[in-house]
Structure formats: structure tokens, C-alpha cells
Amino acid sequence: MNAAKRAEIFRRLREDNPNPETELAYSTPFELLIAVILSAQATDVGVNKATAKLYPVANTPEAIYALGVEGLSEYIKTIGLYNSKAKNVIEACRILVEKHGSQVPDNREDLEALPGVGRKTANVVLNTAFRQPAMAVDTHIFRVANRTNIAPGKNVLEVERQLLKFVPKEYLLDAHHWLILHGRYVCKARKPQCGSCRIEDLCEYKHKTSDD
């Protein structure tokens, strides 16, 4: 895929959705961090239902830490792997209070040192909360990048590096959101909706489908 094609793909995605946002509900960087930790192997809808009950009660590192693992578990038990997530969140809150003045770090090293925070979670926080050009590659983005040939790669890290290299700079900050939404609602895993896709003519996928 050449640079002109990539630029047109992102121009169209921006045209259709000028201000893309995460579907996780949050109002502060800390709320976003916790939501992303909870979202591993869970849906955004499921996480939002849990945090809608949690955040009115506790939405700071001190307040969530005060709940303890058992207290937090009661709020997030509808989410998969809630026991291990509760332990990670409580420990992360302790570290934020003790080492970072209860503020979410705006750098990868400190973020990835928090329990439950891997590269993908750090990238989401850096990009969405702090508006840094980071690319959080989940299953949707990995699929879209490879299927369209925008940024093919054999693993998540390879795709991340390819996207950072090939996505035109003017689109880089929001590319993560456009790609994830495209993968979630159009370029679906089992059957992509090629017939109603805005970038079908630019996509290099060889097994395009109809919407019938």
C-alpha cells in the first residue's frame, strides 16, 4: 500500500468522524486508567456498567485503595477476571499515592510499572488522556491493519511500529480510535461489511464480501 492510499483512507475516516473518542466512560486520566485495566478481555459496555456504580463512590486512588480488594471486587464482579483485576487496581492505586502524588504518570515507563498495565494499556492512556502519538494495538486494530494492508505485521508490536511509521502525521493522534471503531463496527472478524465500507476501494483485502 502506498502513502497516497493511506492518506486517503484516514482522510475519509476523519471526514466521517472528525472527533473520535474511546467508548470507555471516564472524566479524568485516573478513571480512564482504571477503565482500561478493567477492559482486558471484557467489553467496553460491561466495564462502563461497572464503573457507573464504582466511580460515584470512589474515583481517586485514595478512595479506591480504601475499598480494598474485597470492596472493589463487589463493584467489578460482573467483569471477567475480576479477582486478579481488583488486586492489580488496588496495588496500582497504592503506587500512585505513594510514588506519584496520586497523579497518573504521563510516560510509558512509569505507567508500565503499575500492576495490570501493559504496553497496550499504557498506549491507550498516553494517547487518549495525554494526547501523545501512541498506538494501542488490540485485536480490532491488528486485524484491520493486516486485512487492509495499511500496516501489516506478524505480531502486535510489529503492527504498532508499522502504524507509527506509515500513518500520516496529521492523522496519528486519532488513528487509534478510527481503526478500533472501524474494526468493531465495519471490518468485523467473522464477516467484514465490505459493501458498506467507506474505504473498500482503497483496501487491499483479497476476499471482500457483500453485505447480503
Side-chain angles (χ1 to χ4, degrees):
M1 179 171 287
N2 60 41
K5 266 190 181 181
R6 287 192 187 92
E8 177 60 15
I9 284 172
F10 285 102
R11 188 198 67 77
R12 292 184 194 178
L13 293 175
R14 181 173 67 181
E15 185 176 69
D16 290 354
N17 186 2
N19 300 295
E21 297 178 346
T22 177
E23 294 186 318
L24 288 169
Y26 76 100
S27 58
T28 65
F30 175 71
E31 288 186 358
L32 177 66
L33 172 66
I34 300 307
V36 180
I37 292 174
L38 296 178
S39 72
Q41 295 178 280
T43 65
D44 288 1
V45 172
V47 171
N48 289 343
K49 285 180 180 178
T51 57
K53 296 176 182 177
L54 171 65
Y55 288 160
V57 175
N59 70 340
T60 65
E62 292 89 347
I64 289 183
Y65 184 71
L67 291 174
V69 173
E70 287 187 14
L72 177 58
S73 294
E74 283 300 307
Y75 288 97
I76 66 171
K77 61 187 178 183
T78 53
I79 300 172
L81 307 174
Y82 74 92
N83 274 323
S84 60
K85 289 177 181 178
K87 291 174 185 175
N88 284 336
V89 167
I90 292 299
E91 182 62 11
C93 287
R94 182 189 68 78
I95 294 170
L96 289 175
V97 172
E98 293 181 2
K99 293 188 176 180
H100 302 288
S102 299
Q103 299 299 307
V104 176
D106 62 357
N107 66 86
R108 179 184 305 285
E109 183 179 2
D110 287 336
L111 282 170
E112 290 189 16
L114 297 171
V117 178
R119 187 177 183 87
K120 186 177 76 172
T121 296
N123 280 341
V124 173
V125 174
L126 290 171
N127 178 255
T128 304
F130 299 113
R131 300 303 284 156
Q132 295 180 22
M135 192 68 63
V137 179
D138 67 351
T139 54
H140 295 300
I141 294 179
F142 185 80
R143 179 176 65 254
V144 171
N146 276 289
R147 189 183 269 169
T148 60
N149 214 30
I150 289 173
K154 294 176 183 177
N155 55 55
V156 168
L157 188 57
E158 201 172 305
V159 168
E160 178 188 329
R161 287 172 175 161
Q162 292 282 81
L163 285 167
L164 290 171
K165 178 181 178 181
F166 288 129
V167 174
K169 284 187 178 179
E170 66 178 296
Y171 302 112
L172 198 53
L173 272 181
D174 290 317
H176 160 255
H177 294 307
W178 287 318
L179 292 173
I180 197 171
L181 293 170
H182 191 69
R184 189 172 285 168
Y185 297 111
V186 182
C187 198
K188 299 177 182 179
R190 292 187 180 179
K191 186 184 179 185
Q193 296 177 311
C194 300
S196 54
C197 175
R198 273 281 274 145
I199 61 170
E200 182 189 11
D201 57 316
L202 301 166
C203 170
E204 297 181 359
Y205 184 49
K206 294 178 181 176
H207 307 289
K208 289 178 181 167
T209 66
S210 67
D211 287 352
D212 298 336

